[in-house]
Amino acid sequence: MEQVKRAKKLSGLGTRAVWAGESGNRWQRATQVPVALSVSFGYEDLDEWLEVAQGKAPGHIYSRNTNPTVAVFEEKVRDMESAEAATSFSSGMAAVSNTLFALLSPGDRVVSIKDTYGGTNKIFREFLPRFGIEVSLCETNDADSIEKAIGQGCKVLYLESPTNPTIKIVDLGRLARAAHRHKALVIVDNTFATPINQQPLRLGADLVIHSATKFLGGHADALGGVVCGRADLVAKIYHFREINGASLDPMSAYLLLRGMKTLHLRIARQNESATEIARFLESHPNVVKVFYPGLKSHENYKVARRQMTGFGGVLSFVIKGGFDSVKTFLPRLRVAHLAANLGAVETIAGPPATTSHVELTEAERAAAGIPEALIRYSVGIEDAEDLIADLSQALDQVHARRSRVRS
Ligand SMILES: *Cc1c(COP(=O)(O)O)cnc(C)c1O
């Protein structure tokens, strides 16, 4: 009880990252949340069992529905996003797909942007249309055309910002207002920003989605997803998920919870290092273009300044010489790990063809305006000067190699 009171008075996001959801009854007074690796929960009193089963009393029945460890994870995210309610999933894609399928029916229309995460894009192009749901995907940077599409009928406006892999920034406040004028629901994938850098519910969103696999967990050791926001909507999505069965595993929930306790520290470091690295890359002669919302040269710099409190740990850049130089540049990086993930303590690099847009064909990637020599670079928590030295030596070698080939 005392802990509950104490946690309520504290309101900084760092304090909430550590303490939110953590207070309450503890098994044997353990400091850390126990991992409840139990599928079921038993009751001797049939009346109590019935009340819990009907949701009239707190408690757990079966872990596909709810689980004590998973509930703590949901509560931490709910608190940090200042949401009414939250529910979790086995992965970020489970969160995205369950949310869309729970809220949409045949005949409904979704408006979204072309630059959503590759898997989300597949849901829009391949799966929703099969169920008679119309999808309108607009140019990400064209707010006027998004507003126009909303005006043509819209049940759900689905946004993502910053986007993947060209790190565009969508004006969430403006588009949420437009959607609400047409009684549409607004969903924002906040994976890249995290609640530390951006709070979509404050900007007008009804629901926020995270792939917890990325920054929330932060250690590339657990898959998970979460949706939070308006309680009536979350209840609907929870009901779909408990039947559909894409539930978060308690062990993963524990790992995500442990990761979240350092979220504010990691994000502060990643914001700082990514800004330094983006400036270094922008000044390098072998770099054609850098995409990072913290750079004044970024197309959406002003919107980013307005709606974000930090610019995030992910940037991308185009190097000279096309995909051939990507193939020589990437293996020369010594610190960055070459993989499809992002948002971890390790710096991770890769081209969109094997990372964010692996689900798309080459033609679809070209149509999405993704340059062939683009590299996505997710900044970890290593020393920024080591990362810059690493990038510098790899960029110089690519250049040396290219000069030799030419001569
Ligand atoms: C990774 C990612 C997802 C999907 O999450 P998984 O946990 O891999 O299923 C959704 N949205 C964004 C922005 C992502 O980066």
Side-chain angles (χ1 to χ4, degrees), residues 90-96 115-120 158 160-164 189-192 209-215 222-225 340-342 356 359 376:
S90 53
S91 71
M93 277 317 301
V96 173
D115 286 53
T116 49
Y117 176 74
T120 306
Y158 187 100
E160 200 176 304
S161 186
T163 66
N164 196 356
D189 182 332
N190 203 29
T191 300
F192 270 46
I209 292 185
H210 281 278
S211 166
T213 315
K214 312 291 171 54
F215 288 100
L223 285 163
N341 195 23
L342 64 91
S356 61
E359 288 92 350
R376 188 181 69 193

Side-chain angles (χ1 to χ4, degrees), residues 62-208:
Y62 189 69
S63 283
R64 168 154 50 74
N65 309 92
T66 65
N67 169 281
T69 314
V70 171
V72 176
F73 166 72
E74 291 168 343
E75 175 55 18
K76 199 184 278 296
V77 178
R78 184 205 67 72
D79 185 285
M80 293 193 73
E81 289 283 9
S82 300
E84 286 173 15
T87 190
S88 61
F89 302 85
S90 53
S91 71
M93 277 317 301
V96 173
S97 58
N98 279 252
T99 298
L100 291 169
F101 279 103
L103 299 177
L104 293 162
S105 301
D108 286 342
R109 187 159 179 274
V110 188
V111 174
S112 188
I113 51 175
K114 286 186 178 164
D115 286 53
T116 49
Y117 176 74
T120 306
N121 205 271
K122 275 282 173 212
I123 301 278
F124 286 145
R125 290 177 191 273
E126 189 176 330
F127 295 104
L128 291 182
R130 271 175 46 199
F131 296 90
I133 295 158
E134 198 190 324
V135 180
S136 166
L137 301 183
C138 306
E139 286 304 329
T140 306
N141 266 339
D142 189 350
D144 291 339
S145 86
I146 301 172
E147 283 195 352
K148 200 169 150 215
I150 292 166
Q152 287 160 354
C154 177
K155 175 80 187 284
V156 165
L157 172 67
Y158 187 100
L159 300 173
E160 200 176 304
S161 186
T163 66
N164 196 356
T166 49
I167 328 291
K168 291 176 185 140
I169 302 295
V170 178
D171 190 335
L172 299 176
R174 173 180 168 183
L175 295 174
R177 283 191 297 277
H180 287 156
R181 280 198 293 276
H182 294 273
K183 304 211 168 5
L185 296 172
V186 180
I187 305 174
V188 175
D189 182 332
N190 203 29
T191 300
F192 270 46
T194 81
I196 305 291
N197 283 338
Q198 179 170 274
Q199 301 246 322
L201 297 175
R202 290 183 201 278
L203 296 165
D206 299 293
L207 289 168
V208 168

